[in-house]
Every structure is written in structure tokens, then in C-alpha cells.
Amino acid sequence: GYSNPLFNVVQILESKSLSNKVYKAISQRYPEELASIKITSEDKFHNYIKNRLKTKIIPSTDTLTLTLRWGDKGSADSVLLETINQFRNQNLELRKAVETRQREYIDNYLKEIDNRLSAVKRQIRDYRVAQGVVNVSEEGTNILLTKYELERKIADVKSQIRYNDQKFANFSKQVGFNNAKTALRATAIGQDPYLETLNKSLAETEQRYANLTSKFTDAYPEVIAVKNEISAINLNIGERNKESLGDVPVSRGVYDKPSQDIITDMSRTEAETTSLRAQLASLTQSLRNLHAREMKLPETIAKIEELYKQEDALKAIYENVKKKQMDAKFKENEIVDNVFILDYPSEPKRYNFDLIIAFVGFIYGGAIIGTM
């Protein structure tokens, strides 16, 4: 059978797969006709048509003759042509089956390579973001430049701190205070208008007391009154100092403007020094972090280069598979329909032979029964 080139074609024509496709097509165009012969399923249609579609191979050719016995003269041509059309489609699918499967396999493999390539690209992006690497080839140079800049800033800040410490010591020596907070409290005393009035009143009262003691004894009533007034003023000054200073011990108040200006500069210098020390701590921590990053740089670069190698390899595979995909599509499309209709259906004619055989058989059967 396999020596005949049309063996497989005959098998297709007699297959249930083909009859199912024909049934789906004609059931939409001739539902009443199928209902009249009680065909309601694919199985019934297959059983009906398999004995009514006959094939005959013309010897020494690649030619088939199809004969269809159909119950309606008006639709017989359409059913036969639909059968041929579905047969041509299925035959083409079978001829393309191997190439199509190869092309589908290559499509799936190409999609897998594309997914892996995208995953590697995301991995490179995420790793570069996590490690803070912008350009692998320039990363070492950038770290060295950043390290040099940080070391220069640290040196500048340390120099400024030393200068401020010396300036603070000079200010402290001039005003006699070792602490800017205490010195500011002392200037607050000197700038308190109420204390200033009390000190002025105290000076005036003490002057009056001196004048009186030069003329009268301590038992003199006016001298006693002035002494009491001096005591009261001192008491008020002590209470005011306690309210102004709180728990800060201040040995004396600062009343002259030059000393107050020096204390103001002293306080600013201390605040600036505190800010510089915080800046120095931040720069030092940044330098430590940069040093740790520099230690990990060889490992980081090796990891990124490995990822880049994977990306290049996957790109090469992708391009290679892409070419194979194009070749597979060309091969698949090179397969064309090799089935041609040489003669379209002839005019339908009635099959009276079956009726004659049935009639003769009926008479013959009746004669035998009658004889018995």
C-alpha cells in the first residue's frame, strides 16, 4: 500500500477527522436536509458518508476519482466540493506538520531565551543599583577621586576646628570665662535693666552712707536708715541674680560693651566648632563607607562582568535562534497545496441500480417463500 503515492490521501478522505470538519461546515448550510435523514452528530454523519464517498485511483497516475452518493440533487455538488476543500486543508496541515512543529519548538525556545535575557538584564540593573555602580570601567577611578575629595575636606575641617579652638582659648583668656554659656549669663546680668537700676541705686546709697559716716556715728538714725537701705538693695540684687542665672554659677557680671562683644564672638566660635565637629564625624563615616566599598569593588566588578558575559552569550544564542526561526518559517511556507481539481463535479444522476437490486431481491425472496 505504501508504494502507492495516493495511499495516505485515501486514508485522509476516509478519516473521521475529515468527516467531522465537513459536518461542521454543511450543518450550518443544510440543517433541514441533515435533519431529514436523522443525522444529528458527527458520529452519525461519519457512518453515513463513509459508505457514500468512494475513491478510485487511476493506475500509473497521481489522480483520484471521487464518487459521492447524496440524497439531495441540489446540494450534492456543494457537499462534494466542501469535502474536497476540507481534504485539501487537512492534507496541507499534515504535509506541514513536521516543519510547523519545528517552527513552534524554535518559537518557544526563542521566547525562553528572550525571557532569560530579560531576567539577566534586570539582574544587572538591580545589582548596579544596589551596589551604586554606574559605570564599571570608571568605578575604580570614581572611588579614588571621591576618596581624595573626602580626605581633603576632612583635613580642611580639622584645620578649621584647630583654629577655632585657639580663637576660643584666646577669647576665654580675655574675658576670664572658660565656658561660653557661663559667659553669656554674665553678659545677661550686665544687660538686665532692673539689675542695672539696682546697682546704680546701690552706688548712690553707698555714697550717701560714706558722707554720713564722716559726720555722724553709726547710732545716728539717718546712718542706720542708709545702712538698712543698702542691705535691702543687696538683697534685691541677690534675688534678681538668682532668678536670672538659675543654677549657673557666675562669679561676676559683664557690663562693659567690649567684653560683651568678645563673649558674643566666643559663643559663635563655640557653636561653629560644634557644627564643624559634627561635619567631621559625618565625613569620617563617609570615608569609612567608601573604604569598605573600595574593598568590595573587585568582587562587585567580577560579579557584574560575569553578568555581562551571560548577557552577551544569551544575545548570541538569541540571534542564532532568530535566524533558525526565519529559516523554519521559510521552510514551512515553502510547502504549498499540491492537490488540484482536474474536473469539477459532473451533473448529479440518480442511482436506480440499488432500487432494481432491492426490487429483484424482494421478488426473489418472495418466490422462495412461496415455493417453500
Side-chain angles (χ1 to χ4, degrees), residues 13 19 22 26 30 33 37 45-46 48-56 65-84 345-351 354:
L13 286 168
S19 67
V22 175
I26 67 174
Y30 309 111
E33 186 172 337
I37 55 179
F45 182 78
H46 178 67
Y48 180 83
I49 201 173
K50 70 179 181 180
N51 296 321
R52 289 169 173 76
L53 183 65
K54 301 299 181 181
T55 60
K56 181 180 179 182
T65 299
L66 300 185
T67 302
L68 174 67
R69 294 169 55 197
W70 193 249
D72 185 89
K73 182 179 180 181
S75 61
D77 289 353
S78 297
V79 174
L80 180 60
L81 290 174
E82 183 63 34
T83 303
I84 295 173
S346 60
E347 288 296 327
K349 59 182 179 180
R350 294 187 179 277
Y351 274 79
D354 290 347

Side-chain angles (χ1 to χ4, degrees), residues 86-291:
Q86 294 294 339
F87 156 72
R88 294 176 68 180
N89 293 336
Q90 187 158 354
N91 184 56
L92 184 60
E93 288 178 4
L94 290 173
R95 296 184 67 238
K96 285 186 175 183
V98 175
E99 285 74 12
T100 300
R101 288 186 179 180
Q102 289 180 348
R103 192 261 307 160
E104 289 176 349
Y105 171 78
I106 292 175
D107 289 344
N108 293 331
Y109 185 58
L110 186 65
K111 186 181 296 184
E112 179 185 351
I113 295 298
D114 185 53
N115 292 335
R116 291 170 59 185
L117 183 59
S118 300
V120 170
K121 288 181 178 179
R122 287 194 300 270
Q123 191 175 358
I124 292 174
R125 179 199 63 195
D126 296 341
Y127 189 76
R128 286 175 58 184
V129 170
Q131 299 297 325
V133 177
V134 178
N135 191 321
V136 177
S137 60
E138 298 179 358
E139 187 64 19
T141 304
N142 292 335
I143 287 180
L144 289 176
L145 292 175
T146 305
K147 184 178 178 181
Y148 170 76
E149 185 67 20
L150 282 174
E151 289 175 345
R152 186 185 64 81
K153 287 183 178 180
I154 288 174
D156 292 342
V157 171
K158 286 182 176 179
S159 176
Q160 186 65 36
I161 289 174
R162 286 194 298 269
Y163 171 74
N164 283 0
D165 287 341
Q166 293 176 359
K167 187 165 64 171
F168 183 86
N170 186 30
F171 289 149
S172 176
K173 185 177 180 180
Q174 291 182 43
V175 295
F177 290 98
N178 296 325
N179 184 278
K181 183 177 180 181
T182 304
L184 286 174
R185 288 289 190 176
T187 59
I189 295 173
Q191 295 175 357
D192 190 340
Y194 181 62
L195 280 175
E196 186 177 354
T197 302
L198 290 175
N199 286 320
K200 185 177 180 182
S201 298
L202 178 62
E204 293 175 352
T205 305
E206 287 178 344
Q207 184 62 41
R208 285 168 50 203
Y209 176 75
N211 293 333
L212 289 173
T213 55
S214 64
K215 299 178 181 180
F216 306 99
T217 63
D218 291 342
Y220 190 71
E222 191 171 350
V223 174
I224 296 172
V226 172
K227 286 178 66 177
N228 291 335
E229 185 177 351
I230 291 173
S231 298
I233 292 174
N234 284 325
L235 180 61
N236 290 334
I237 289 174
E239 291 178 353
R240 184 62 177 181
N241 285 333
K242 186 176 181 180
E243 291 175 0
S244 300
L245 301 177
D247 296 330
V248 180
V250 178
S251 58
R252 62 185 179 87
V254 178
Y255 300 96
D256 60 296
K257 188 69 167 60
S259 296
Q260 291 178 355
D261 291 340
I262 291 175
I263 290 174
T264 301
D265 292 338
M266 178 180 175
S267 176
R268 289 174 179 169
T269 301
E270 186 180 54
E272 182 181 353
T273 304
T274 301
S275 176
L276 288 172
R277 293 188 190 282
Q279 184 179 352
L280 177 63
S282 177
L283 291 173
T284 304
Q285 183 61 42
S286 298
L287 186 62
R288 291 196 194 98
N289 295 339
L290 191 64
H291 181 69

Side-chain angles (χ1 to χ4, degrees), residues 350-358:
R350 294 187 179 277
Y351 274 79
N352 295 325
F353 181 73
D354 290 347
L355 295 176
I356 293 173
I357 293 298

